[in-house]
Amino acid sequence: MADWEKAIDLGNYGQSNRHWGGMHINPAVFFPTAFISLAVILFSLFAPKASADLFAGLRSGAVAHFDWFFMMSGNLLLLFCVVVAVSPLGKIRLGGKGAVPDYSRLSWFAMLFGAGMGIGLVFYGVGEPVTHFTSSMAGGPAAPLGGAVGDAQAARSIAMAATIFDWALHPWAIFAVTGLALAVFSFDFNMPLSMRSAFYPMFGKAVWGRTGDVIEVLAVLATIFGLATSLGLGAQQAMAGIVYLYGITSSSLTILALIAVMAGITFMSIRGGIDRGIRILSEVNMWVAFALLVFVLTTGSTLQLMGDLATNIFNYLKFLPALSNPVGRTDTGFYNDWSVYYWAWWISWAPFVGMFMARISLGRTVREFIAGAMIAPSLLGILWLTIFGDASIAQIVAGNGADLSKASLDTQLFVLLGTLPWAQVTSFVAIGLILIFFVTGWDSGTLVIDTMTAGGRTDTLLRQKTIWLVAVGGIGVVLLLSGGLTSLQAGAIATGLPLTLVLLCMCLGTLRGLLALHRNPDCGGEI
């Protein structure tokens, strides 16, 4: 247990003995994660069927035995954020009383949302509401909460509530817990920007040794697989859009070519750093996404869709207790295939998104951080899902949605846009939106992985960052080509399971750190 009366002792963590080949690394984290990443790539390349079967088995096993654990953990993390935000601890400023934010609220929010789940919303924004609606109309285990057989209005309400549940408060609370922990211990206690720092209150100096190395390796592996899942989804949907619009044949070669082009753009973004890379791309993407959203809103039933927004929020809150129930579920198809998978995916993303959130949040109060990282993105996500989801369901109810119902997940967005004016233009814009989200996610994820494997350093060499850019892209490619969506999902779930325990423990460390700051705001690195 850390001695809270003495100055924090970092030992030799991050010192000169961590230089290798001109790079700044933590060998105990860098080499294990690099080796495992290479092993996964080679295994998937040389034994694609065996690797696909292995990942499918990991996915089914984790979901079958730990579905309740994923859901309960998500509930606890959300509760933690709410309690901290409304308590006096929410007034604490990250970095001290005199700290000033580095970015405007608009830039800050754009980067938070772009790094968080932008690409996932574009991929699932049409497909998930449509899937839940058709399942609810049919009933059975795949229908959320049992559905509403034959009742289109009730089925729509349940479908949208279930979709919003998967994308609103819970996932952003998972990210916020991680980001808050990293920000508090980095900015207020002068510790490395590293997952292990949040465990100092519980383990003391042991976090700078093997205990911390294990935490970091789990976090890096989860980040790699979670990010690879998103990149795989983005590449799959962008390719599907190109095929749908221009009739180009989709093949392994065309997918590799697309990813290679995006890798080059991502490399240039990494060279530009946060200010000249991610920030600019995130702001561009936010405005493009907003323009596409406004287009769908104004070319559809505008008043109806705006009314649906309030209705969907009400239904989400109404069904929230039932949807977040971790035991005794009869809607196992929805629960396991959607919610539990999402929770594992969000948790696997937590180190990546949380660390990026922390890096750009100096000078925000704890309350402002939680609101910006949890409430604001949730509202924007609900708006996106309402516009695209309800517009799609309306097409089906009106009898014009046969193509939507039959289309695959990765093409449903383009099928919807095809029913509206200027379909060629908006579909082209949608592809561009996906690709920019693709780059911002890959860029910010690479920077975070590099930081975690470099002992918390953010000033590493470009070639060091390039190693992780290639590793993440490589895993995304081989999983996508060998096992498709199942392998991508399995990788996220398998790595998210052990990381869930890490996040729950981080809450305890963060609480102790915040309480120490509350008692002595000027502790200046002493706990």
Side-chain angles (χ1 to χ4, degrees):
M1 186 68 68
D3 184 348
W4 296 91
E5 301 301 324
K6 296 182 179 179
I8 295 170
D9 182 3
L10 300 182
N12 66 349
Y13 183 71
Q15 301 303 312
S16 58
N17 63 343
R18 297 179 183 274
H19 289 197
W20 179 78
M23 299 187 296
H24 301 287
I25 65 170
N26 179 350
V29 178
F30 182 93
F31 289 118
T33 50
F35 174 78
I36 292 172
S37 299
L38 180 62
V40 170
I41 292 174
L42 294 177
F43 179 48
S44 299
L45 282 175
F46 293 107
K49 186 179 185 305
S51 66
D53 291 342
L54 173 63
F55 279 109
L58 287 173
R59 183 184 190 279
S60 59
V63 168
H65 299 292
F66 297 100
D67 53 356
W68 63 271
F69 179 64
F70 279 120
M71 185 58 64
M72 181 62 75
S73 299
N75 293 339
L76 291 174
L77 295 173
L78 175 59
L79 181 63
F80 175 82
C81 286
V82 172
V83 171
V84 168
V86 300
S87 74
L89 301 178
K91 298 179 180 179
I92 295 172
R93 187 169 297 277
L94 300 174
K97 292 181 179 180
V100 178
D102 294 325
Y103 304 97
S104 68
R105 279 196 174 92
L106 181 63
S107 295
W108 179 59
F109 177 70
M111 288 189 284
L112 289 178
F113 191 76
M117 56 178 64
I119 199 168
L121 271 177
V122 176
F123 187 89
Y124 287 109
V126 173
E128 186 172 354
V130 168
T131 300
H132 294 337
F133 175 74
T134 54
S135 298
S136 295
M137 288 289 286
L145 304 179
V149 180
D151 186 340
Q153 185 58 40
R156 189 205 70 83
S157 298
I158 294 174
M160 290 308 303
T163 302
I164 291 169
F165 171 72
D166 287 338
W167 291 90
L169 293 175
H170 278 82
W172 289 103
I174 292 169
F175 301 155
V177 163
T178 313
L180 180 62
L182 293 168
V184 165
F185 289 98
S186 175
F187 297 143
D188 293 287
F189 294 112
N190 302 314
M191 294 190 193
L193 188 64
S194 171
M195 292 285 287
R196 70 180 73 208
S197 296
F199 291 81
Y200 189 90
M202 291 174 285
F203 301 123
K205 291 186 291 184
V207 299
W208 313 127
R210 291 290 177 259
T211 300
D213 293 337
V214 171
I215 293 170
E216 296 287 350
V217 169
L218 285 175
V220 173
L221 289 175
T223 301
I224 289 174
F225 279 94
L227 185 58
T229 300
S230 298
L231 297 185
L233 293 177
Q236 182 176 323
Q237 188 177 34
M239 195 70 243
I242 293 170
V243 171
Y244 182 80
L245 280 178
Y246 306 113
I248 298 174
T249 302
S250 178
S251 65
S252 298
L253 186 61
T254 55
I255 292 176
L256 285 173
L258 175 64
I259 293 177
V261 171
M262 301 317 297
I265 298 173
T266 305
F267 176 78
M268 297 304 295
S269 178
I270 288 174
R271 285 191 63 184
I274 291 180
D275 288 337
R276 292 183 295 157
I278 297 175
R279 181 185 63 81
I280 295 173
L281 287 174
S282 295
E283 291 180 359
V284 169
N285 225 24
M286 185 181 68
W287 288 115
V288 173
F290 181 72
L292 187 62
L293 185 146
V294 170
F295 174 81
V296 175
L297 174 64
T298 54
T299 54
S301 303
T302 306
L303 293 178
Q304 178 65 44
L305 289 173
M306 293 309 296
D308 289 342
L309 179 63
T311 301
N312 287 341
I313 293 174
F314 172 79
N315 286 327
Y316 164 58
L317 297 175
K318 172 185 173 183
F319 291 115
L320 181 60
L323 288 168
S324 55
N325 174 32
V327 294
R329 300 287 289 260
T330 57
D331 54 347
T332 51
F334 161 75
Y335 181 53
N336 290 333
D337 292 342
W338 291 92
S339 293
V340 174
Y341 152 60
Y342 276 133
W343 263 230
W345 188 18
W346 304 143
I347 289 169
S348 71
W349 264 54
F352 147 48
V353 181
M355 186 171 292
F356 185 72
M357 284 179 168
R359 285 185 65 175
I360 63 175
S361 298
L362 175 69
R364 307 288 175 185
T365 65
V366 169
R367 187 169 295 138
E368 183 183 12
F369 176 86
I370 292 176
M374 190 174 78
I375 298 176
S378 294
L379 291 174
L380 183 56
I382 292 172
L383 177 63
W384 181 277
L385 292 169
T386 295
I387 301 303
F388 285 88
D390 275 310
S392 303
I393 292 174
Q395 292 274 355
I396 296 173
V397 172
N400 303 320
D403 291 341
L404 266 174
S405 299
K406 296 175 183 177
S408 60
L409 275 173
D410 50 15
T411 59
Q412 284 174 318
L413 170 63
F414 303 104
V415 174
L416 171 66
L417 294 175
T419 66
L420 302 173
W422 305 326
Q424 289 287 323
V425 175
T426 55
S427 295
F428 179 80
V429 170
I431 293 173
L433 182 67
I434 294 164
L435 293 179
I436 301 176
F437 272 133
F438 190 105
V439 171
T440 53
W442 200 351
D443 184 345
S444 51
T446 297
L447 293 178
V448 166
I449 293 169
D450 180 56
T451 299
M452 287 193 286
T453 57
R457 297 184 66 123
T458 59
D459 58 347
T460 56
L461 301 176
L462 179 61
R463 69 170 178 265
Q464 188 169 333
K465 297 179 176 69
T466 305
I467 291 174
W468 297 114
L469 183 149
V470 174
V472 170
I475 288 179
V477 168
V478 297
L479 291 183
L480 180 62
L481 297 181
S482 64
L485 186 58
T486 299
S487 290
L488 290 167
Q489 292 175 341
I493 290 174
T495 52
L497 182 58
L499 191 62
T500 305
L501 286 172
V502 173
L503 297 191
L504 291 174
C505 292
M506 285 183 81
C507 291
L508 298 177
T510 304
L511 182 61
R512 296 194 68 180
L514 289 173
L515 289 172
L517 289 172
H518 183 62
R519 291 192 301 267
N520 181 14
D522 300 315
C523 61
E526 295 187 0
I527 302 181

